[in-house]
Amino acid sequence: MTRHRATFIALTALMGVLRMVCFRRRKCQHAILILVPVSLLITYIYFVNDDSIAHIQHLQRQALRAAGLRFQSDVSSMSGEENARGRPKQVPGVGENEKAVDIPRGRDRFMPAPSYRDGLTDRLTHDEQHKLRIHTVKKGVEGLKQEEKPASEGYESQGGGQNPGEGGGHGPQLSGTCDSGKCNPTKDGMLNIHIVAHSHDDVGWKKTYMQYFNGKSGDFGETGYHGGECTRCILNSVIPQLLKDPRRRFIFVEMAFLSLWYQEQDKQMQEDVRKLIRERRLELIIGGWCMSDSATTYYDDVIDQHTYGFQWIERQFGECAMPRSAWHVDQFGHSREHSSLFAQFGFDGLLVGRIDVFDHERRTRTRNMETIWKTSPDNLGDKTDLFTSVLYDGYFTPGTYHGVMDARSRNTTMERFIAMATERAKGFKTNHVLIPFGGDFDFSSASVHYDVIDNLIKHINAQQNNGGKVNVLYSTPTCYINSVNREAATFETISTDFFPYGIIPNTYWTGFFTSRPGLKRHVKTASSLLQTCKMLAVFAELKDSERGVDDLKEAVAILQHHDAITGTEQQHVTNDYNLILSAGEQSCQSVVSRAYQSLLGVSSTLHFCPLLNISVCGLTESNTEFTVQVFNPLGWNVTHWVRLPVPVAVYTVLSLAAGNLQNQLVPIADSTKHIPERGSSVSVAELVFKAELPPLGYSVFYVLKASDLNLQPQIVDHADQGDITIGNQYLSLVVSGSSGLTQTLKNVAAGVTIDFAQSFLYYIGSEGGYRIPGDRRGGMGGFFGGHKRASGAYAFVPKENTPPVKLMGRDGKVKVKVVKGTNVQEIHQEFSPWVSQVVRLYDGAPYLELEWTVGPIPESDRQTKEVISRIQTNLQTKNTFYTDSNGREMITRILNVREPSPFNVTCPISGNYYPVTGRIFIKDDEKNVQLTVLTDRSQAGASLQNGQMELMVHRRTFKDDDLGVEEPLDEKGVDGKGLIIRGKHYVVLNSVERAAEDYRHLGLRVHHFPTMSFMSGVDIKGIKTKTSWLKRSLPDNVHLLTLDRIHGDPNMLLLRLENCFETKERSQTAELALHDYIEGIKSVRERSLGGNHNVTGVKRLRWKTMDGITTPDQISDAVTDVLLHPYIISLKPMEIRTFHIHIERSVAT
């Protein structure tokens, strides 16, 4: 027998050698799969007389693990190299019940992608449009064979069943449900281990959204990642298992997936699901369309995607199904504003998965893994405090457990599980600890998982009869939070956020703040169109517009996912995301077209020009006369500068309101002319004119080519001709004639002048190192390892002891050309063959516009480059700067300092980078000067020296950072040479007390910019003249955040208003009567932020803090939901209020 055992050990060793040889060579692992059954056969022959089948299976599992594989029937944490951002990949051909799963080992091939300049795609072909329609499951998705559904056992939950071995227990008060008896009972005087069964289902990552739903390869290109993930299969497997036992629980997060699956089911299955949700055996967590990112998302998109999910839940399952807790377990850091929105939704708590490694160590050591997060400490106060619990070691099952526990293994398994839970409980203040069971796309074989948990509960709780002090139960985040609340513990507070997220060694996940800037911008443009689309559908009183609007709602919602807008997905998934957005945009454009046809009384077809950012628009380039419709989605009058690509000629621009408008012809920058995506466009100039737009309304302009005279726009080459000055009523900028760089900036009105040296540089990325076999350091169950990392999609890892390289042209100078006119003055700068910029100052504008064009980043040296725009001033900023949180409140940042202090920042560059979703500023309090830079998409930003700011605008890496995506961030562009990105920064210089007056309104104009559309052959004199939905402009501190219809009733509107200033910016409370601004109001009822509860009906759990405060249970100061005529409302600084408004109006066709 020793000889036989030695033979088997030799086979096992051989597979281990193959694993080492096959590292990052996935194909030869199939040889391992051939050896596994051979080894099993040999083992069976040799050991059959031992009557030890369990031992045979154990040895086979050892062999698979030695080869880097695992059994699907082993409920595993996927720890070490198997978990976290590395998703296990199912390998076919191992058997139905015992599926081997391949450990991720990187990718062998990469797929080129079409280029998206600024995120705006070229016109889709008919075939692509057809694919997109197929891609939308609303039109039908090929179904998988559904698992046979067992008959319901016909029981009703009565407060949860008792576990074997349990005596009397009590369930915690479960706020937010329609029945308080929904949780399995906990026990006083014991350690209560709350097992949360879940599956983490990405709405796109290594595979596309639909590939992850149906488990197939899909229609949009193959991927080098061959996992068998299938969300449809998970739900098909989980639901029958929940129906078998009333104690079992499961949580589900992504309504994008659940809605697809639910609509495929027959009526009986739908009723079974409704029953499970009523009884909270299937609990919907968060409730949004996806688990959105925290760092790179904009606040109104976050609100919208959750609202869309809440509305679907309410239509299908009723208000009692609404979530009361959040589960942000896979985000790469956590933002304060996103969590504030959770509190305003009425959530009782938030569970997070990833925090900085040093913060995690301190919290576990001091028993502060749970905290009260003061998410709006200076504005909304205690009403937005949020209980926040950190998962101990990620969201994966901690360890490996088998469904069948024989007498020999049972005690060992129980002791190991109890020891693990007891150790974790040391980081928490109560006798409750949450243990996640599941992982990425887990529970496709749900019976195996539930057998494991059932056995743990059964055997551990049976020990209570012999004095055991451990109670294990099926639970949910909501039940866990309520149990912790019942203990009345006192918690510390935090008032900043959880950025940046750092792991060892010296690695900060700050690159994704900028990664895939084209996609980030495409999300922004789609979101702006969505606001216009919703508002025009209301304005024009359209019927049958819901589907068109919903297409873009779903698309923008999907893109909020934490592996979508972040840019941390594979390239073919990015391509699919862009196609999803483009399809949604086309649907909404049809709604906009119908609305204008109704409002203007015309039948002409509207045209849209998505490539205006690179000066391409077929209609304006080829027609001698056309109209431009410009819609303003803001509630104030707005001045917008229109730029249209046209042939060189003399033009007349007319407005109904202002008559003949002054226009200017401006030459297109040289860098623009050479962008490959411009295709056959021959325009060399842009027509620039000022559009005065009414609040929440449109203006129509008539453009006529009056003469073919070849009047070339004037551009002057200023090489060696002295300093250059451009200025208007507000600002004056000086550019050095010797270097070509900006030199000084002056606010004329305030009399403030500062040094203003703006330049472009790039960091060289680290080459990284190799993972050491068996290295289980770095957190998340040992997945990350402790090896040196390269820069990649997630991480920004600059090369050590290497300063950034300054881009200054071959002769050390920036080439400069100047354009001056009545509407705009421009300075065209060329920093290198692949970096250029146009500095603009419009007439009457209180801001400086910097339009930069970066790319293609050279690949000849295969060296990672991370490009930044840096501004150096003479301001004394005391190493302090300020960044926005999801576009709303500002957070103070101090170089190398984090809360709680002291905090070990191990990389002085990337460890001080923060997400800049909307703006970053520095200020000098002694000089009373503030310099603010606004961005047109999320970017990484920092102030690494006194008086300095920098923003990362583009990045290209040639190595993977080994954090899961298994692909370098190497966007090829349409010509394969590399992606060219164009974007804008807006610079505001003012006194400290006046700065917010400029940047608050400007920021909303940047992110909710006007939508332009075009018609040809229309007589402007014959169109209707009504242009605004509002009776008059809103107060300048009140922003109309949302105007949308409620499903099922075209006369019921969803309205959100917010005070757009912080207390320290403008402390006054805004007041207005809705009757003075909106016509036809019949009734008004106030709702919670998500629109899913009457505002006074939400009662949150109360928590005690170490500073002696007990948090309030209300989310609003309102004493009633119903407002009476004239519907007076008040808005405190940063307050958002949400209403259902019934309007008496007709509905157009």
Side-chain angles (χ1 to χ4, degrees), residues 79-98:
S79 59
E81 297 170 84
E82 292 179 299
N83 73 2
R85 299 305 302 167
R87 313 299 206 211
K89 299 187 277 290
Q90 294 183 356
V91 178
V94 185
E96 176 143 12
N97 298 321
E98 300 248 327

Side-chain angles (χ1 to χ4, degrees), residues 69 73 232 259 274 290 339 376 398 402 407 561 618 673 701 726 768 785 808 823 829 862 1028 1083 1124 1137 1141:
L69 307 172
S73 60
R232 177 194 276 140
S259 63
R274 285 193 290 268
C290 68
S339 300
S376 183
H402 307 290
H561 168 55
K673 297 174 185 176
F701 303 91
I726 60 174
M808 284 294 289
N823 284 349
Q829 298 172 300
R862 305 297 293 176
S1028 179
S1083 65
L1124 302 178
R1137 295 182 69 177
I1141 299 182

Side-chain angles (χ1 to χ4, degrees), residues 533-583:
C533 184
K534 293 188 294 187
M535 291 173 176
L536 275 173
V538 172
F539 193 173
E541 304 177 25
L542 296 181
K543 67 178 182 180
D544 301 327
S545 62
E546 285 184 354
R547 183 65 261 165
V549 177
D550 283 357
D551 282 348
L552 189 52
K553 282 184 181 179
E554 291 182 17
V556 173
I558 288 169
L559 266 292
Q560 306 309 306
H561 168 55
H562 59 270
D563 277 313
I565 191 173
T566 54
T568 54
E569 67 280 354
Q570 290 193 353
Q571 183 63 58
H572 78 105
V573 180
T574 298
N575 301 343
D576 185 60
Y577 283 145
N578 276 304
L579 289 171
I580 289 172
L581 286 173
S582 296

Side-chain angles (χ1 to χ4, degrees), residues 385-442:
D385 290 354
L386 187 67
F387 172 79
T388 303
S389 180
V390 181
L391 298 185
Y392 188 89
D393 194 19
Y395 55 86
F396 295 89
T397 306
T400 302
Y401 305 95
H402 307 290
V404 178
M405 296 184 188
D406 55 32
R408 184 170 56 181
S409 64
R410 181 184 306 153
N411 290 338
T412 301
T413 300
M414 289 191 301
E415 290 173 3
R416 182 160 50 91
F417 181 82
I418 292 172
M420 174 275 301
T422 302
E423 180 62 28
R424 293 189 174 197
K426 293 178 182 178
F428 300 83
K429 289 188 173 181
T430 71
N431 63 342
H432 299 272
V433 62
L434 186 152
I435 303 298
F437 255 67
D440 295 329
F441 297 94
D442 216 338

Side-chain angles (χ1 to χ4, degrees), residues 61-290:
R61 290 188 179 95
Q62 283 185 329
L64 280 167
R65 293 189 192 106
L69 307 172
R70 69 180 180 89
F71 270 110
Q72 184 71 20
S73 60
D74 292 354
V75 180
S76 170
S77 67
M78 293 168 282
S79 59
E81 297 170 84
E82 292 179 299
N83 73 2
R85 299 305 302 167
R87 313 299 206 211
K89 299 187 277 290
Q90 294 183 356
V91 178
V94 185
E96 176 143 12
N97 298 321
E98 300 248 327
K99 296 178 182 176
V101 179
D102 179 13
I103 295 175
R105 293 295 184 195
R107 284 198 57 185
D108 299 321
R109 62 188 178 91
F110 312 112
M111 301 187 62
S115 173
Y116 298 95
R117 306 295 178 188
D118 210 18
L120 301 178
T121 62
D122 289 309
R123 192 183 303 272
L124 297 176
T125 66
H126 175 76
D127 288 343
E128 287 172 328
Q129 294 177 35
H130 177 65
K131 282 185 177 182
L132 284 164
R133 291 301 88 198
I134 294 175
H135 181 73
T136 305
V137 173
K138 297 289 187 295
K139 303 293 186 181
V141 179
E142 182 182 359
L144 296 177
K145 185 176 180 180
Q146 191 174 320
E147 293 182 10
E148 183 178 355
K149 178 168 66 89
S152 173
E153 297 180 18
Y155 53 78
E156 293 290 337
S157 174
Q158 300 295 332
Q162 290 188 350
N163 297 325
E166 291 179 341
H170 53 267
Q173 178 71 22
L174 184 55
S175 66
T177 68
C178 299
D179 187 331
S180 62
K182 303 295 186 180
C183 295
N184 285 316
T186 60
K187 293 196 172 182
D188 292 334
M190 295 186 181
L191 174 62
N192 290 279
I193 302 174
H194 295 249
I195 292 180
V196 174
H198 77 102
S199 176
H200 180 73
D201 305 325
D202 287 307
V203 187
W205 184 40
K206 293 182 182 179
K207 294 165 66 173
T208 68
Y209 162 49
M210 288 308 302
Q211 289 170 356
Y212 274 144
F213 175 68
N214 60 37
K216 297 184 178 181
S217 61
D219 299 322
F220 296 95
E222 291 296 329
T223 167
Y225 175 69
H226 302 292
E229 299 88 346
C230 172
T231 310
R232 177 194 276 140
C233 308
I234 291 167
L235 288 165
N236 285 344
S237 181
V238 166
I239 299 304
Q241 294 301 316
L242 290 175
L243 292 168
K244 287 182 178 180
D245 189 334
R247 297 169 305 164
R248 291 176 172 175
R249 299 290 187 269
F250 193 77
I251 66 171
F252 202 84
V253 172
E254 299 84 7
M255 297 306 104
F257 283 138
L258 185 61
S259 63
L260 297 182
W261 178 85
Y262 187 76
Q263 73 174 7
E264 295 178 342
Q265 307 310 305
D266 60 28
K267 291 183 179 180
Q268 180 57 52
M269 176 58 81
Q270 289 183 350
E271 178 53 39
D272 288 340
V273 171
R274 285 193 290 268
K275 170 186 173 67
L276 292 172
I277 290 175
R278 279 197 307 271
E279 298 172 359
R280 290 281 167 156
R281 291 151 63 190
L282 174 62
E283 184 165 306
L284 307 182
I285 300 297
I286 304 180
W289 214 240
C290 68

